Amino acid sequence: GENVEQHPSTLSVQEGDSAVIKCTYSDSASNYFPWYKQELGKRPQLIIDIRSNVGEKKDQRIAVTLNKTAKHFSLHITETQPEDSAVYFCAPGGSNYQLIWGAGTKLIIKP
Amino acid sequence: EAGVAQSPRYKIIEKRQSVAFWCNPISGHATLYWYQQILGQGPKLLIQFQNNGVVDDSQLPKDRFSAERLKGVDSTLKIQPAKLEDSAVYLCASSLMGQVDEAFFGQGTRLTVV
């Protein structure tokens, strides 16, 4: 079945610096690549997504880049702020409308 | 638009008791997911419905868990009998049919088995 890995599992950055989280997947049929943010005690919420016909998408301070050949996509957060502290999940999707979830990356923003 | 509704928000039961969770997806969403999220881990898919048909229940412990989605709208997830390791947040999510797309989550039900 589909194998999804996220790296790193924990990322600590200084406020104002950039953060990058990488997600690798195995299913070549995957065609939807979302990133979810989950704050402590809350539900996961979509922050950005991209489809396989696009290589990069940006929304203010966040961006997602996709490399379909290498089967990985990355979340980029610039000018990090304290409210960016959360757990981030990638969940590539494809056949059967399924999202396959990564194990999560805990992002810590140091003041 | 109204979001995914789940109830109850919290439930505490003793092991070997039974419990049921309810989910009402966003209107028009044909795909409904039930996830189990243990503290510190990512969501684990238990079962996925497309309308009232099961797409995937490969990770559902069928000896104790059951789920149904009558009429392709609301869904219930039941655990009988509960074990200590079932303590988790149970998340329901829904998405549009037609292509894999954003999943909208409910607030979840936090289950504690004592």
Side-chain angles (χ1 to χ4, degrees):
Chain A
E2 169 79 289
N3 186 40
V4 175
E5 293 186 0
Q6 276 184 241
H7 296 281
S9 57
T10 304
L11 178 60
S12 183
V13 302
Q14 206 70 38
E15 182 178 349
D17 287 351
S18 296
V20 181
I21 303 169
K22 185 175 178 180
C23 181
T24 59
Y25 61 95
S26 61
D27 186 359
S28 56
S30 295
N31 57 15
Y32 176 65
F33 307 93
W35 284 98
Y36 284 80
K37 175 184 181 182
Q38 188 175 29
E39 296 177 80
L40 191 63
K42 297 191 176 180
R43 74 187 100 181
Q45 291 198 299
L46 181 76
I47 55 171
I48 196 163
D49 59 5
I50 197 170
R51 296 201 180 269
S52 56
N53 57 345
V54 178
E56 182 174 355
K57 183 177 177 181
K58 190 173 181 181
D59 182 4
Q60 299 183 346
R61 296 187 299 107
I62 60 173
V64 55
T65 58
L66 171 65
N67 184 328
K68 278 216 81 178
T69 304
K71 294 183 189 172
H72 66 75
F73 62 111
S74 297
L75 174 69
H76 304 255
I77 306 174
T78 59
E79 300 171 20
T80 52
Q81 300 170 4
E83 55 264 34
D84 295 329
S85 293
V87 178
Y88 291 82
F89 294 97
C90 65
S95 54
N96 276 341
Y97 313 105
Q98 282 195 2
L99 300 174
I100 309 299
W101 291 75
T105 296
K106 184 176 183 179
L107 177 62
I108 301 165
I109 308 300
K110 297 181 289 186
Chain B
E1 62 180 13
V4 176
Q6 284 189 251
S7 67
R9 287 293 312 278
Y10 306 92
K11 191 75 177 178
I12 301 174
I13 61 172
E14 294 182 350
K15 59 184 179 184
R16 291 187 289 276
Q17 286 188 321
S18 63
V19 64
F21 312 126
W22 173 82
C23 174
N24 179 238
I26 293 173
S27 177
H29 281 196
T31 304
L32 186 147
Y33 310 85
W34 280 105
Y35 289 94
Q36 179 193 60
Q37 188 171 28
I38 293 172
L39 189 64
Q41 298 182 18
K44 171 190 166 186
L45 180 68
L46 293 175
I47 190 166
Q48 178 183 342
F49 292 96
Q50 200 82 301
N51 295 307
N52 59 349
V54 175
V55 174
D56 184 359
D57 64 356
S58 58
Q59 297 194 84
L60 187 74
K62 298 181 184 66
D63 58 334
R64 299 184 300 107
F65 286 65
S66 64
E68 60 181 10
R69 191 182 183 197
L70 299 176
K71 300 180 182 177
V73 182
D74 292 5
S75 178
T76 55
L77 175 70
K78 297 179 182 177
I79 308 175
Q80 181 179 10
K83 292 185 176 181
L84 296 176
E85 58 261 37
D86 298 332
S87 295
V89 175
Y90 291 84
L91 293 162
C92 178
S94 70
S95 65
L96 284 168
M97 187 176 173
Q99 61 180 0
V100 66
D101 210 337
E102 176 180 2
F104 294 82
F105 283 84
Q107 297 269 39
T109 296
R110 183 176 297 277
L111 174 67
T112 303
V113 183
V114 297

